[in-house]
Amino acid sequence: MHKLARLDKKYVWHPFTQMRDWAKRESIVLARGKGAVLEDVHEKKFLDANASIWTNLHGHNHPKLNAALQRQLKKVAHTSALGFANEPAALLAERLVKSAKGSLKKVFFSDDGSTALEVALKMSYEFTRRTGRSRAPKFLSLAGAYHGDTVGAVSVGHIDLFHKAYGGLLFKSDKVMAPYCYRCPFNRAKPERADARVTRKCNWECVGKVEAKLKPRKYAAFVVEPRVQGAAGMIAHPEGWLKRVGEAVRASGAQLIADEVMTGFGRTGTKFACQKEKVSPDFLCVAKGLTGGYLPMAATLTTQAVFDEFLGEYDEFKTFFHGHSYTGNQLGSAAALASLDILQSADSKKKRRTLEKLLRDELQALWSLASVGDVRQEGLVAGVELVADWRTRKAFPLKAQVGIRVCEAMARRGVLTRPIGNVIPLLPPYCTTSAQLRKMVRVLREAITEELGGAPV
Ligand SMILES: *Cc1c(COP(=O)(O)O)cnc(C)c1O
């Protein structure tokens, strides 16, 4: 075993990992990266097929991002936003507001997706109380929602496996049905296309459920991952769901918190996923891809109305009493500015469109495998759901570790991704070449065949 793998096993406690299994397995120690390729300490090369847990946009070791960081390093790495402004954070805030369009006018920086959500939740809660809409406002979010791992973010999350244990620690929030067309209890066809495997027409029962929940008008906000629920299993929502739900939220007087931590910055095709359905949220939370996948940094964008509600005389104490030591970090902001430059270039836009289409074409080959139940894609986010029986959609039991086994078989073939239960996500960095993308899908197919058999249906 490599010396670093040994040190890691001895001292590091890994996130979302059964450490007893980790101790038994050979770990991959990553040392270098270039574009979509990562290299371990034995100089074995891997494709980064989930963009280092959905963070990386333009590839590793990008010359423009590196140069931006080096320029910033020659000035200063970090100064506090508590009491002081700085150049890259001010420039970045302007850029974010301009990119978000609509009514989002103010930017509150923090460190990661979870903190971006905490900020939105606190602001929305306090806004709702101060404007007199409710004295004890609550939040509504979707079944399978994932908004981060801090206690507030977990309170609006609804993945029992992660969240149940901490139930006693959380504030109460409500849950409503999510549009998960593959497992729709009404057995309707996916609304935007006639799916061969389900035939009955969709009447948007899932939107009706949200409307019914919103009726009592008791919510501060509806919290949603627009267009795709990531940690729920890369569940792409049907076209039109977000628009309808956005209108229902608006009509109820509640605010809309868009968690674009995964979907932001071109992942789903448009800069932000909300823009695909022309939905204008009251809060936009971004993190993962904000710095192109270089540094931990997040932002919560909100409206002038929310901002104004926190204005007052000093001794009215209307201040937003919240902040983190690294808020508005200069290095992170410099990386984010460079990342946005690349993202907005005509070259990157064209590349993303080409990749999206290629991914769609390549994924078709997976439908013929018996253990593939669903193949979902939204922009450059794909999820392949493995099932024990495609006819009945029967799930594999989690303890069979089907997703883990398939991903390990992929790693042996030089492609890295991390399963979500029985779903295998593919989120290629935008710099991925056509050959690299084909390899990602081919290896996924081979790994499924190796672990679960290839009998075509
Ligand atoms: C990853 C993620 C978060 C949490 O972000 P962290 O940076 O891991 O705290 C929140 N919401 C969504 C949709 C995410 O994908």
Side-chain angles (χ1 to χ4, degrees):
M1 200 196 301
H2 193 275
K3 162 175 120 254
L4 294 171
R6 212 168 22 244
L7 279 183
D8 171 274
K9 287 209 159 97
K10 187 156 178 207
Y11 294 111
V12 180
W13 189 344
H14 285 263
F16 282 100
T17 302
Q18 175 44 255
M19 292 307 289
R20 187 180 278 179
D21 292 343
W22 179 266
K24 286 186 220 145
R25 284 180 182 139
E26 178 94 42
S27 38
I28 296 170
V29 183
L30 295 170
R32 265 172 295 277
K34 182 82 196 152
V37 178
L38 291 168
E39 193 181 305
D40 76 0
V41 285
H42 305 294
E43 293 177 15
K44 181 173 160 71
K45 290 185 163 61
F46 300 91
L47 289 174
D48 189 2
N50 77 342
S52 295
I53 207 77
W54 328 341
T55 58
N56 194 286
L57 300 189
H58 317 294
H60 300 278
N61 226 326
H62 194 288
K64 289 199 174 135
L65 288 166
N66 290 5
L69 281 173
Q70 273 150 6
R71 272 196 307 275
Q72 185 58 46
L73 263 179
K74 290 198 187 114
K75 298 184 196 164
V76 66
H78 176 68
T79 57
S80 172
L82 281 81
F84 309 99
N86 76 64
E87 180 186 353
L91 293 172
L92 177 60
E94 181 195 32
R95 279 289 279 281
L96 288 172
V97 165
K98 289 194 168 154
S99 314
K101 301 190 182 110
S103 51
L104 299 167
K105 300 290 179 214
K106 299 286 174 182
V107 181
F108 194 96
F109 288 113
S110 64
D111 308 338
D112 52 54
S114 309
T115 56
L117 264 295
E118 298 285 340
V119 167
L121 293 171
K122 278 185 167 176
M123 285 181 177
S124 178
Y125 177 81
E126 199 45 25
F127 176 85
T128 307
R129 282 161 35 98
R130 288 184 189 179
T131 51
R133 263 197 63 239
S134 169
R135 289 190 57 78
K138 291 175 74 180
F139 292 93
L140 181 65
S141 48
L142 291 180
Y146 175 79
H147 299 292
D149 293 323
T150 53
V151 170
V154 169
S155 295
V156 290
H158 299 291
I159 300 183
D160 274 358
L161 182 66
F162 305 165
H163 299 147
K164 207 172 170 184
Y166 305 102
L169 198 56
L170 310 175
F171 63 78
K172 290 241 175 316
S173 75
D174 285 349
K175 165 171 89 172
V176 66
M177 182 184 174
Y180 185 179
C181 298
Y182 177 60
R183 297 191 179 281
C184 177
F186 305 104
N187 195 25
R188 310 298 188 190
K190 210 175 172 198
E192 78 267 27
R193 76 190 160 89
D195 187 324
R197 295 181 184 196
V198 264
T199 47
R200 280 170 36 220
K201 193 172 168 298
C202 171
N203 293 317
W204 295 105
E205 287 86 348
C206 54
V207 172
K209 297 267 182 202
V210 178
E211 287 167 347
K213 272 278 187 200
L214 289 166
K215 276 270 155 59
R217 303 173 66 87
K218 62 184 172 181
Y219 295 109
F222 179 65
V223 191
V224 67
E225 298 163 74
R227 301 280 301 187
V228 198
Q229 283 178 274
M234 298 303 161
I235 299 172
H237 295 164
E239 185 73 41
W241 180 88
L242 183 64
K243 182 94 203 155
R244 285 173 169 83
V245 164
E247 281 160 10
V249 170
R250 191 69 67 216
S252 79
Q255 294 186 309
L256 184 66
I257 299 178
D259 176 353
E260 295 230 22
V261 172
M262 189 274 281
T263 54
F265 306 108
R267 245 315 136 197
T268 68
T270 42
K271 190 170 287 167
F272 297 107
C274 280
Q275 294 169 344
K276 269 195 146 167
E277 300 202 21
K278 299 198 166 50
V279 167
S280 181
D282 301 278
F283 296 90
L284 177 70
C285 303
V286 294
K288 289 192 171 94
L290 172 60
T291 60
Y294 262 53
L295 288 160
M297 184 175 200
T300 306
L301 278 70
T302 192
T303 61
Q304 189 71 44
V306 170
F307 179 81
D308 287 348
E309 211 49 60
F310 289 80
L311 299 177
E313 294 304 324
Y314 176 79
D315 57 2
E316 286 180 272
F317 303 118
K318 285 179 146 188
T319 306
F320 184 53
F321 291 106
H322 184 111
H324 303 280
S325 313
Y326 282 94
T327 294
N329 177 258
Q330 298 218 25
L331 275 180
S333 302
L337 283 167
S339 173
L340 284 168
D341 281 341
I342 303 168
L343 192 75
Q344 267 154 350
S345 70
D347 193 42
S348 171
K349 284 182 188 159
K350 187 163 158 255
K351 190 78 215 290
R352 297 199 302 271
R353 273 198 303 272
T354 310
L355 265 188
E356 180 180 333
K357 182 171 182 313
L358 182 63
L359 182 60
R360 200 170 299 284
D361 293 345
E362 290 294 308
L363 286 171
Q364 297 311 312
L366 298 176
W367 283 111
S368 68
L369 299 177
S371 46
V372 168
D374 194 22
V375 181
R376 317 185 258 270
Q377 184 188 348
E378 171 75 10
L380 286 172
V381 180
V384 175
E385 183 163 341
L386 304 170
V387 288
D389 184 343
W390 65 272
R391 289 175 192 84
T392 58
R393 306 179 182 211
K394 184 167 177 268
F396 283 110
L398 278 186
K399 73 169 196 291
Q401 300 197 1
V402 162
I404 293 175
R405 278 161 45 207
V406 167
C407 288
E408 284 179 350
M410 289 174 77
R412 290 196 291 276
R413 290 171 168 80
V415 175
L416 300 181
T417 184
R418 188 179 167 84
I420 305 165
N422 298 326
V423 176
I424 314 295
L426 291 180
L427 291 86
Y430 306 159
C431 66
T432 305
T433 65
S434 300
Q436 288 171 333
L437 191 88
R438 287 198 183 92
K439 179 172 175 183
M440 288 174 188
V441 180
R442 186 182 74 240
V443 161
L444 171 56
R445 187 187 163 88
E446 288 169 7
I448 295 171
T449 308
E450 177 178 298
E451 290 299 322
L452 305 170
V457 298

